[in-house]
Amino acid sequence: VAIGNSLGADDAAIGWTLPSFVEGLSVYVSHSADQEDTVGGGPAGTGIAFEYGAGPVEVAYGANEADDDTAAETYVGGTVTFSGLALSLEQLETGASGAEVTERAMAVTYTMGDLKLAYATEETDNAAGTTTADTQFIGVKYSLGGGVTLFAETSSDDISSANDVSAAGVTVAF
């Protein structure tokens, strides 16, 4: 049981990971106290999440809702992996009733030894059903060993080219 994020924190949130009663299944519940009197705070809220993995398949569901119904989040997603190939699908809905924003994403990765190729697409719709972002991502990573990885990636948004990004570089982990 985790209470708050540190001693003296303004947050009195409680999160509980239930004991596993089915192999591969994790269940989480949470509650946060009313924090509307703090900077960046909000109303009290309650959440629940499930994760289940069996062999090459993983699925997840989570929901978090403000007790005064001013905000909510719902997530559902899944991944299947086989022979270095992984396919992931997910959907996230956020916002108050009648003002929800929906994000849908799909990703495919292929790993072969030290090389990893990735493609992803994400679409965001506002409450009126208008698409506000339609992004595609392509990337490649190559591990040189010893914690050194080369990468190159690019993303483009069909709605706004101002959100287009490309990057190449080296990461070092030690």
Side-chain angles (χ1 to χ4, degrees):
V1 175
I3 300 177
N5 53 12
S6 66
L7 285 175
D10 293 336
D11 183 343
I14 297 174
W16 183 31
T17 302
L18 289 133
S20 181
F21 51 91
V22 174
E23 187 173 338
L25 177 66
S26 297
V27 179
Y28 311 93
V29 293
S30 64
H31 182 76
S32 61
D34 186 342
Q35 301 172 44
E36 293 190 64
D37 59 343
T38 62
V39 175
T46 303
I48 187 162
F50 304 91
E51 287 181 296
Y52 180 71
V57 177
E58 294 179 19
V59 293
Y61 171 84
N64 189 30
E65 187 170 326
D67 289 349
D68 64 1
D69 294 327
T70 58
E73 298 173 321
T74 304
Y75 170 87
V76 62
T79 300
V80 61
T81 58
F82 51 93
S83 300
L85 186 67
L87 172 64
S88 298
L89 301 170
E90 63 183 24
Q91 179 170 305
L92 174 66
E93 292 183 358
T94 59
S97 179
E100 295 94 355
V101 172
T102 302
E103 297 177 32
R104 288 174 297 283
M106 183 275 306
V108 176
T109 61
Y110 181 70
T111 303
M112 181 175 49
D114 295 328
L115 179 68
K116 183 173 192 173
L117 306 171
Y119 171 79
T121 181
E122 181 178 332
E123 183 176 289
T124 303
D125 297 334
N126 64 19
T130 303
T131 300
T132 58
D134 187 4
T135 306
Q136 291 77 42
F137 164 87
I138 298 172
V140 61
K141 289 184 179 182
Y142 185 76
S143 175
L144 298 175
V148 178
T149 302
L150 302 175
F151 71 91
E153 54 193 41
T154 186
S155 67
S156 66
D157 185 346
D158 291 345
I159 304 299
S160 172
S161 62
N163 296 328
D164 295 353
V165 177
S166 294
V170 178
T171 60
V172 179
F174 47 105

